[in-house]
Amino acid sequence: GQVLYQKNARKKYPVASLTKVLTLAVIEQDVAAHKLSWNQKVKVTPAVAKVANDWHFSNVQLIAGESYTVRQLAESMMIVSADGSTEALALADAGSTAAFNKKMQAVARKAGVKDAKIYNMIGLPNGDLGKNKIKGVDKDAENLFSARDMALISKYLVDKYPDALKITKTKFANFRVTDGQSERLVNINALLPKNGFAPKNGEIDGLKTGNTDAAGKCI
């Protein structure tokens, strides 16, 4: 929890898929409370499949009507930042984007974050969620967090649910799309051990990268 360096630490910025650190904290909380289980099956709707199968948003295919486990969806969310998987998880957990947002805000407050702008579980502009967007909110609205906010949320996740790091440091995983088709997931965090930008002193085991036009490249 010690701050070693800070610059504009309280200024709020779009953070793109870094949002998923908070999304995972909500899922971990609800698994611990037995409201979800890692082996629970989640059936994919056509609206979620549309996001999952659009290469602009996601790189893991989900088939409408097919079911995937909570663990599968969480792994693909954190390892390759799969937006469709993230949406499927949140809707299975809370029933709607608005309801999941309330859970995200509650967990953020537990972490010490009181004024982040939270519009969805993914970090995409509101309008990109199509049928699952927040009504009455501008289509270009994106989640806004400060560097301090992200540090507090990340610390909360690692302290409260240390097993989350087993997911974020996983370099390779197989994802079953259908009974006859699977995909190889390769972690997109280039700082992990033996990846292109891995540090020479010490090892990175998480947490998340992100990128939108408004946010730029984030970690």
Side-chain angles (χ1 to χ4, degrees):
Q2 182 183 0
V3 177
L4 302 179
Y5 172 85
Q6 58 185 324
K7 180 179 179 181
N8 299 330
R10 294 175 185 267
K11 183 176 178 182
K12 302 211 176 298
Y13 296 94
V15 298
S17 285
L18 301 198
T19 298
K20 292 165 184 167
V21 176
L22 179 55
T23 299
L24 181 60
V26 175
I27 298 302
E28 290 273 8
Q29 168 191 269
D30 287 353
V31 168
H34 306 293
K35 295 176 182 176
L36 288 174
S37 73
W38 290 117
N39 294 322
Q40 181 178 328
K41 295 284 186 75
V42 176
K43 193 172 184 178
V44 169
T45 65
V48 169
K50 186 175 181 181
V51 171
N53 299 328
D54 186 330
W55 65 270
H56 293 93
F57 305 138
S58 201
N59 45 12
V60 171
Q61 187 180 11
L62 299 177
I63 309 299
E66 191 75 34
S67 293
Y68 305 90
T69 66
V70 167
R71 185 173 294 283
Q72 274 186 291
L73 296 172
E75 286 179 349
S76 58
M77 172 176 76
M78 300 306 287
I79 294 171
V80 294
S81 207
D83 292 345
S85 296
T86 308
E87 194 174 29
L89 264 182
L91 296 177
D93 181 72
S96 71
T97 302
F100 193 78
N101 285 359
K102 288 181 180 177
K103 289 194 171 195
M104 293 173 76
Q105 289 158 2
V107 170
R109 284 193 296 271
K110 287 181 183 178
V113 175
K114 297 180 176 61
D115 57 354
K117 302 292 185 186
I118 299 173
Y119 300 110
N120 61 65
M121 68 296 279
I122 297 170
L124 287 173
N126 182 47
D128 287 351
L129 269 70
K131 281 180 64 177
N132 291 316
K133 69 184 178 184
I134 296 292
K135 293 177 176 60
V137 173
D138 189 274
K139 67 180 178 62
D140 294 323
E142 290 192 32
N143 299 340
L144 299 175
F145 294 81
S146 68
R148 183 176 183 276
D149 292 340
M150 287 308 313
L152 287 169
I153 290 165
S154 298
K155 182 179 185 301
Y156 179 84
L157 175 70
V158 172
D159 285 349
K160 189 95 173 159
Y161 308 108
D163 278 1
L165 290 175
K166 292 181 181 177
I167 298 176
T168 63
K169 72 182 181 181
T170 297
K171 291 190 68 173
F172 306 103
N174 287 319
F175 185 91
R176 178 200 144 278
V177 179
T178 65
D179 285 341
Q181 179 187 357
S182 64
E183 291 185 21
R184 180 80 159 155
L185 306 184
V186 180
N187 201 309
I188 59 177
N189 185 351
L191 291 168
L192 291 180
K194 299 182 181 176
N195 281 4
F197 292 93
K200 292 182 173 58
N201 299 308
E203 288 190 356
I204 300 291
D205 54 11
L207 275 169
K208 192 73 193 67
T209 62
N211 185 27
T212 63
D213 291 343
K217 295 186 184 300
C218 309
I219 188 162

